[in-house]
Amino acid sequence: MEVKKGLELDRIIFIGRTFEEYCSMFHITPEEIASLRILDCPGGACSFTATANSQGGRVVSADIAYAYPSQELYEKGKRDIDHAIDQMSKVKDRYVWSYFSDLQELSVHRNEALELCTHDMIEHPNCYVETELPSLPFTDQQFDLVLSAHFLFMYSDRLSQAFHLATLTELMRVARQEIRIYPITQLDGDRSFLVETIINYAKQMGWKSEIIPISYEFQRGAVHMLSLTNANE
């Protein structure tokens, strides 16, 4: 596979969450998995696509990382998990240790997601689409529901307001019904200063917005997702 010029593997963090985490983070029900066309973007090394599709779902994952062969991503993911666990050991108080009891259990879940994702990438490559936001290679309203985890808002200090608005506009273009974004906090745990800007933008665009509390909490304070719906649907 040809890799886009300028894309360096060491700039990519290839870590993902499990199917079970996704269901908790986004309030996803078995009925939604069975009936909706779902896009996970950016999907990273998450196992949601693999597991949901094994249950009869119609899920596609999109990420800039998919420009690289799955084996390279797998090896990169293993290193990234080890590095992340080491760094988190120094700031354990920033996390709530109820969903995961300790760093060892967290490592097991992160590695499980990586294993499932990379195996599924080999078995079903059409479900993993290379893309570089804020552009998506999909048709208008191709998906019913778009999920976006641990990207927008989280990196508010690195991703500009213009990038957020352009990305959300593009995600809504391909979403027939709804976008769900989690978390709405930054890396430091504070609510992103861009949340109100996005809500105001949604109003201008004719979208409905709702901040929804969730039961999942790992990063301390990250207990809400943002739902944006197309008011015309």
Side-chain angles (χ1 to χ4, degrees):
M1 179 184 297
E2 182 181 355
V3 178
K4 285 184 177 180
K5 184 177 180 181
L7 176 62
E8 300 174 5
L9 185 59
D10 60 5
R11 293 179 56 203
I12 296 170
I13 299 175
F14 199 61
I15 294 178
R17 277 74 184 174
T18 63
F19 171 83
E20 291 77 15
E21 284 181 88
Y22 257 51
C23 290
S24 297
M25 292 188 304
F26 290 115
H27 280 182
I28 299 173
T29 65
E31 291 75 21
E32 288 176 321
I33 292 172
S35 63
L36 301 180
R37 297 164 299 171
I38 301 175
L39 172 65
D40 180 17
C41 182
C46 298
S47 63
F48 177 75
T49 295
T51 303
N53 286 344
S54 72
Q55 298 177 3
R58 294 172 293 164
V59 183
V60 172
S61 186
D63 198 292
I64 192 173
Y66 303 152
Y68 282 89
S70 56
Q71 186 59 37
E72 288 187 50
L73 289 176
Y74 176 75
E75 293 168 359
K76 168 68 171 169
K78 297 289 284 188
R79 295 192 299 270
D80 286 345
I81 291 170
D82 289 343
H83 177 72
I85 295 297
D86 178 65
Q87 293 301 304
M88 290 174 68
S89 68
K90 303 171 185 176
V91 289
K92 290 180 65 176
D93 61 321
R94 295 184 185 178
Y95 301 90
V96 176
W97 298 97
S98 54
Y99 192 93
F100 306 109
S101 60
D102 53 30
L103 286 167
Q104 182 177 0
E105 184 180 0
L106 173 64
S107 178
V108 168
H109 281 258
R110 293 289 177 265
N111 277 284
E112 174 191 323
L114 176 65
E115 296 277 352
L116 286 171
C117 175
T118 50
H119 176 75
D120 199 54
M121 288 174 66
I122 296 170
E123 294 295 316
H124 304 101
N126 291 339
C127 293
Y128 297 85
V129 179
E130 174 200 348
T131 192
E132 185 172 359
L133 291 169
S135 178
L136 292 172
F138 305 117
T139 59
D140 293 357
Q141 299 188 346
Q142 184 170 336
F143 303 94
D144 300 303
L145 172 64
V146 174
L147 309 175
S148 190
H150 298 95
F151 182 61
L152 297 173
F153 296 132
M154 178 159 278
Y155 298 101
S156 297
D157 60 333
R158 306 175 201 177
L159 301 175
S160 69
Q161 174 179 310
F163 178 86
H164 276 73
L165 297 179
T167 296
L168 286 170
T169 301
E170 182 71 346
L171 292 177
M172 188 60 83
R173 179 185 68 79
V174 304
R176 188 177 68 84
Q177 295 178 357
E178 182 184 8
I179 304 170
R180 296 177 191 174
I181 306 165
Y182 174 85
I184 61 173
T185 54
Q186 303 170 142
L187 284 171
D188 60 9
D190 291 338
R191 179 171 293 194
S192 169
F193 59 89
L194 289 174
V195 171
E196 292 305 317
T197 298
I198 297 303
I199 290 175
N200 290 333
Y201 180 71
K203 185 176 181 179
Q204 294 171 17
M205 297 295 290
W207 309 337
K208 296 179 182 178
S209 63
E210 184 179 5
I211 295 177
I212 300 173
I214 61 171
S215 57
Y216 174 91
E217 183 181 17
F218 179 47
Q219 180 191 16
R220 193 173 297 278
V223 292
H224 296 88
M225 73 169 177
L226 176 63
S227 169
L228 299 174
T229 54
N230 188 340
N232 295 321
E233 288 297 323

